């Protein structure tokens, strides 16, 4: 929840946004001309602003000045609560999503939309465009509530934030820890979140379980910032349901598994903090791979904070982010 994160609002986006019903991915393009669209207040259900009874696709667009985020190393976009499903683009780049669109519809209306925005996607001089694609089935529809805006952490910890879009596959193969493995056909998943809230096919996931663990893998490439001391780094991976093994460039850096069965195991409540040996890291692009074993219920890397930072700052990072 946003209220438990040590964030401050740096740009208020509770205002009139451009709005239209329908669906076309070209509307994510920052150069698209939306001047003929309606204006609608955000937050608020679209049924309260002239679209009573409408169920289906719709898009929102707005802009913000780069001057508001110029001096902030880490930015989050808070879109509150959206009914039912969303995809969010900044300057044409997908930065977050919750639920799944038809034909495999899965609502995420209870999920807080708090998305990390990579600074490299933002223009610190000039205007930035936010585009939000929404699908609604019943009730109000749209960006319905919340403290909408851009936020930044109050702390000044040097950290490479790992929250956001990861590659994900259901199943298990030891080859998936290797940097050379081709994961381009894998699903995109938001981390942190449960698989269920990301629209994963839960019916398929629970078929033929026979009380055996089910496996899923996450992968993400990263480049460390120059200001981190690579001799003293840890990976903070928040909380994972249930068990995990974590690899950097194919080499395991840590694992959590108390060996207890579903309903008794407490591994899902433990915050993962694993030291990264310097010789495991490469100059340039590195890969982190996380193998997750789920014993029942919801699953995945479900709670942050998630990042790579110096070991001495790990405690403050965890306290300040959650």
């Amino acid at each position: 929840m946003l209220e438990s994160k040590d964030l401050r609002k740096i740009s208020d986006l509770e205002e009139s946004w451009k709005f239209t019903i329908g669906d076309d991915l070209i509307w994510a393009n920052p150069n698209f001309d939306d001047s003929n669209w309606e204006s609608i207040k955000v937050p608020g259900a679209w049924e309260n602003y002239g679209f009573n009874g409408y169920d289906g696709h719709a898009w929102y667009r707005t802009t913000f000045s780069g001057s508001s985020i110029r001096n902030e190393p880490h930015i989050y976009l808070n879109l509150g609560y959206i009914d039912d499903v969303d995809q969010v683009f900044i300057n044409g780049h997908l930065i977050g999503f919750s639920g799944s669109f038809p034909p495999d519809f899965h609502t995420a209306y209870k999920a807080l939309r708090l998305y990390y925005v990579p600074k490299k996607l933002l223009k610190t001089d000039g205007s930035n465009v936010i585009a939000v694609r929404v699908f609604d089935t019943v009730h109000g529809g749209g960006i319905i509530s919340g403290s909408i805006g851009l936020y930044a952490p109050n702390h000044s910890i040097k950290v490479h934030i790992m929250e956001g879009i990861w590659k994900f596959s259901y199943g298990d193969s030891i080859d998936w820890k290797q940097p050379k493995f081709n994961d381009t056909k894998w699903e995109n998943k938001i981390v942190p979140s449960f698989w269920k809230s990301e629209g994963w096919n839960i019916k398929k996931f629970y078929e033929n379980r026979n009380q055996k663990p089910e496996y899923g893998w996450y992968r993400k490439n990263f480049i460390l910032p120059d200001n981190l001391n690579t001799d003293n780094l840890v990976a903070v991976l928040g909380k994972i349901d249930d068990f995990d093994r974590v690899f950097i460039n194919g080499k395991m850096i840590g694992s959590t598994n108390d060996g207890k069965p579903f309903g008794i195991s407490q591994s899902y409540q433990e915050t993962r903090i694993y030291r990264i040996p310097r010789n495991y890291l490469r100059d340039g692009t590195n890969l982190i791979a996380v193998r997750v074993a789920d014993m029942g219920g919801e699953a995945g890397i479900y709670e942050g904070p998630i990042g790579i930072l110096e070991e001495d700052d790990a405690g403050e990072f965890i306290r300040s982010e959650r």
Side-chain angles (χ1 to χ4, degrees), residues 14 19-20 25 37 77 106 137 149 154 190 196 221 256 259 261:
E14 297 182 35
F19 177 82
T20 189
L25 286 174
W37 285 18
L77 172 62
H106 179 84
T137 54
N154 283 319
I190 291 294
K196 183 176 181 180
N221 290 309
T256 298

Side-chain angles (χ1 to χ4, degrees), residues 240-286:
I240 298 175
D241 186 11
D242 288 288
F243 310 138
D244 63 278
R245 293 181 184 177
V246 179
F247 303 86
I248 296 286
N249 296 323
K251 299 178 180 179
M252 191 167 78
I253 63 168
S255 176
T256 298
N257 186 341
D258 61 13
K260 297 178 180 179
F262 179 65
I264 298 177
S265 172
Q266 298 298 305
S267 289
Y268 74 96
Q269 294 185 338
E270 296 186 23
T271 298
R272 273 58 169 186
I273 306 175
Y274 301 133
R275 186 175 178 276
I276 305 174
R278 174 64 184 88
N279 61 345
Y280 286 12
L281 294 168
R282 301 174 174 179
D283 294 333
T285 301
N286 294 270

Side-chain angles (χ1 to χ4, degrees), residues 171-190:
D172 193 27
S173 171
I174 196 63
D175 293 338
W176 295 349
K177 71 178 182 178
Q178 300 296 343
K180 292 183 179 180
F181 176 78
N182 185 355
D183 59 18
T184 55
K185 294 184 178 180
W186 283 21
E187 299 282 343
N188 289 326
K189 293 294 175 186
I190 291 294

